Amino acid sequence: MSKAQVFESCDAAIEGIEDGSTILVGGFGLAGMPFDLIDALIRQGTNDLTIVSNNAGNSEVGLAALLKTGRVRKVVCSFPRQPDSYIFDDLYRSGEIELELVPQGNLAERMRAAGAGIGAFYCPTAVGTPLAEGREVRTIEGRDYLLEYPIRGDYALISAHKADPMGNLVYRKTARNFGPVMATAAATTIAQVSEVVPLGSLDAEAVVTPSIYVDRIVPVDTRRYTVQGAR
Amino acid sequence: MTIRSIDEASIGTATVEHLDRGALSTSELAAVIARDIPDGSFVNLGIGQPTRVADYLSSEAGVVLHTENGMLNMGPAAQGLDVDPDLTNAGKVPVTELPGAAYFDQADSFAMMRGGHLDVCVLGAFQVSFSGDLANWHTGQLEAIPAVGGAMDLAMGSKVVFVMMSLFTKTGASKLVPTVTYPLTGVSCVSRVYSDYATFDLTADDVVIRETWGISVSALRKRIGP
C-alpha cells in the first residue's frame, strides 16, 4: 500500500492487534511515548504481549498503565529501573513479567537490522559482561564482538510531530529517539501525530521517516505532561 | 601491576601532592575534569555526578555535548518556561539546545559512539580495576532490578573513558581495585580515574598517580593496595 491510512481515532488505528503480538513502543522515558495509542491498546484488551521499549514505564501513565493491566508477558528494554517505575518493579519482583535486558545501542541496532534486512551482526558492546553469557563471540582483527540478532515487531506504536497524508513523518527534538528505527522494524507501523498537514507542505528534504515505513497515522491532541526532574 | 607516582614513571613531571587541603568536593572534581577535556571535543557526560562537569566547560572551549537519547550540542538544564517535555537529557531531565544543535534517532546516536566519533565520555562507577575494567550498572544484589541503558555502549564506544567517582566507599574500602567484584560494564575500557583524593592513569602495565588532594602518595598507596 503506497499511502498511509489516516484514522480519526486511536481505537480504530490499532484495530487488528492480536494476543501474543510483539509491539515496539517508542519513547525515551515520557518523551516520544505514544500515550494515546497505548491507551487505546489498553481499552482494546489485547493480552499476552511482548513489549520492546527503552524503559518499562514511568508512574502510572503510558507504558506503565499498560503494564498495570497485567497483559504484558515480557518486556525487552535497556533501562527498566527508574525512580518512578514502581509498577514494573512490583511485577518483576513477583515474577509476573519476564525481562530481556539489552544495552540501549544494541536495542536500537537490532531493530535497525530488522528493518534493513540484516540477518545478524557482530557488536563490541557488552563483551566480557554478564549480558554476554551464552552468546557467540567472534574475534575480528583482534577485537572481540558478540553476535546480535534482529528484533522485529508485529506492530510499532510511535509518536511523531507531524505527518502528511502519505505517512511521511517529522519529529520534535529528543522525542524522535526510537521512532524512526522502530518504524522500519515492524510489519505494521502506527504513528500518532500532533498534526496531519496537507500533502506537499512538509519539506521533502527534512522528512525523517519516509512514508514507506508508515502504515497508519492518527492525529491526537498534544498532551502536556510533567517531566521528571523539571524545575 | 604496580601503583606508581609520575616521577617513578619517568615522564618528567612529578605527581602533584596537594597536602595543604582536604579532598576535592564534587564541584571541584567536576572542574578538574573539565580542565582536562580538550577544546573542541565531542563529549558525553553520564547520568548523575558527571553531568556537573558541564558547569565548568567554558563556551570558548567549543566542547560539544552528546546526549545518547539523540542530540549534539546540548545546552544547560531548562528552567521554568523553557522546560519542554520533548527535550530532555539521558537522565530525562529537561535541557536546552545551543545554536548548532542536531537531533538524530537512537540507531545514529549509538553508531556515532561505537564508530569512534565520540572523543570522551565521563562515567560514574561502583568500581574500576587497575587494568581499567569498569563496573557501574548493577550492584549484583539478587533483589536489585538490573538496568543498563547506554553504559556498556559508552564504555566500549567512546575513544576515551574517564571515570568520576569518590575513591572510597562509606566503609573506607577503595573503589579502585585489583579485580572488580561487581558485574562488569566493560573490559579494559577506562583510561583515567578522577576521584576526590587523586587522579590516576590506568595503563596496560600499571596505575600511575597523577595528582592527590589531602593525602600523600605513600598514604594513598597503603589505602588502595595491593
Side-chain angles (χ1 to χ4, degrees):
Chain A
M1 204 178 306
S2 66
K3 196 164 178 291
Q5 285 179 277
V6 181
F7 290 85
E8 289 192 1
S9 79
C10 288
D11 297 279
I14 64 147
E15 211 162 275
I17 298 184
E18 294 172 350
D19 288 355
S21 296
T22 295
I23 306 181
L24 317 179
V25 176
F28 181 87
L30 299 180
M33 183 175 284
F35 291 102
D36 303 83
L37 291 171
I38 293 170
D39 287 349
L41 190 64
I42 293 169
R43 288 193 292 273
Q44 192 216 39
T46 316
N47 212 337
D48 194 31
L49 299 171
T50 295
I51 298 294
V52 182
S53 196
N54 189 61
N55 303 107
N58 302 76
S59 178
E60 303 200 15
V61 297
L63 191 49
L66 176 62
L67 297 187
K68 197 177 179 184
T69 65
R71 299 188 202 127
V72 178
R73 182 178 65 79
K74 180 181 177 183
V75 170
V76 181
C77 78
S78 88
F79 210 83
R81 186 195 67 229
Q82 298 169 96
D84 56 354
S85 62
Y86 50 89
I87 289 178
F88 172 82
D89 298 356
D90 290 346
L91 289 167
Y92 181 77
R93 289 205 173 97
S94 60
E96 292 170 72
I97 200 162
E98 189 184 336
L99 170 67
E100 180 182 346
L101 192 72
V102 180
Q104 196 174 333
N106 289 9
L107 190 65
E109 192 65 13
R110 288 174 65 187
M111 288 189 278
R112 199 198 71 79
I118 302 297
F121 60 96
Y122 288 100
C123 182
T125 303
V127 166
T129 76
L131 297 186
E133 280 167 20
R135 313 262 304 282
E136 181 186 326
V137 180
R138 174 75 67 92
T139 307
I140 302 169
E141 293 180 352
R143 191 176 189 197
D144 287 346
Y145 296 80
L146 295 177
L147 181 62
E148 297 286 349
Y149 289 100
I151 297 174
R152 280 187 190 82
D154 298 305
Y155 292 88
L157 305 184
I158 63 172
S159 173
H161 183 41
K162 292 179 184 177
D164 69 13
M166 293 287 292
N168 291 306
L169 302 179
V170 294
Y171 300 82
R172 246 192 114 244
K173 304 184 186 285
T174 58
R176 180 184 304 199
N177 57 67
F178 282 92
V181 73
M182 286 180 170
T184 70
T188 300
T189 292
I190 309 170
Q192 68 169 65
V193 297
S194 301
E195 191 182 359
V196 180
V197 298
L199 199 61
S201 64
L202 282 185
D203 178 358
E205 296 281 8
V207 167
V208 175
T209 295
S211 63
I212 194 168
Y213 297 120
V214 181
D215 301 284
R216 307 178 193 174
I217 49 180
V218 55
V220 299
D221 292 332
T222 304
R223 186 180 299 208
R224 298 303 296 183
Y225 51 89
T226 310
V227 198
Q228 168 202 330
R231 282 175 275 185
Chain B
M1 191 72 68
T2 56
I3 301 168
R4 303 180 306 173
S5 49
I6 289 185
D7 46 343
E8 293 165 88
S10 315
I11 295 174
T13 47
T15 296
V16 181
E17 294 175 303
H18 302 279
L19 299 176
D20 56 339
R21 55 156 298 152
L24 296 176
S25 67
T26 304
S27 304
E28 289 170 328
L29 182 55
V32 166
I33 296 170
R35 182 195 67 196
D36 285 356
I37 291 176
D39 288 0
S41 302
F42 289 96
V43 175
N44 184 297
L45 301 175
I47 296 171
Q49 282 193 10
T51 308
R52 307 264 298 261
V53 173
D55 298 340
Y56 299 93
L57 292 167
S58 75
S59 54
E60 297 79 49
V63 169
V64 175
L65 294 181
H66 169 266
T67 181
E68 63 263 33
N69 53 317
M71 180 187 194
L72 279 168
N73 222 12
M74 174 177 67
Q79 311 277 348
L81 292 174
D82 285 338
V83 169
D84 181 339
D86 286 345
L87 179 47
T88 72
N89 65 12
K92 305 182 179 74
V93 174
V95 292
T96 52
E97 68 179 35
L98 297 176
Y103 297 105
F104 34 82
D105 73 48
Q106 287 295 281
D108 277 347
S109 185
F110 286 83
M112 62 183 73
M113 261 178 220
R114 284 189 309 266
H117 308 282
L118 189 70
D119 297 304
V120 179
C121 75
V122 184
L123 299 174
F126 297 140
Q127 283 180 328
V128 178
S129 80
F130 295 166
S131 62
D133 294 350
L134 171 66
N136 75 350
W137 71 283
H138 193 358
T139 59
Q141 291 166 313
L142 281 176
E143 69 275 20
I145 295 173
V148 65
M152 291 184 180
D153 309 270
L154 278 165
M156 292 317 289
S158 179
K159 279 192 248 183
V160 171
V161 177
F162 289 168
V163 157
M164 175 182 189
M165 67 178 189
S166 56
L167 188 55
F168 302 109
T169 65
K170 286 185 182 124
T171 57
S174 175
K175 291 156 77 173
L176 180 62
V177 292
T179 308
V180 163
T181 54
Y182 284 90
L184 276 180
T185 304
V187 178
S188 299
C189 55
V190 178
S191 50
R192 191 175 288 170
V193 172
Y194 289 89
S195 76
D196 42 359
Y197 284 95
T199 56
F200 304 88
D201 275 335
L202 309 183
T203 73
D205 303 315
D206 44 27
V207 176
V208 180
I209 303 169
R210 293 165 52 88
E211 198 166 356
T212 72
W213 292 270
I215 191 168
S216 67
V217 166
S218 58
L220 187 60
R221 274 191 182 138
K222 285 196 189 108
R223 285 198 67 180
I224 60 179

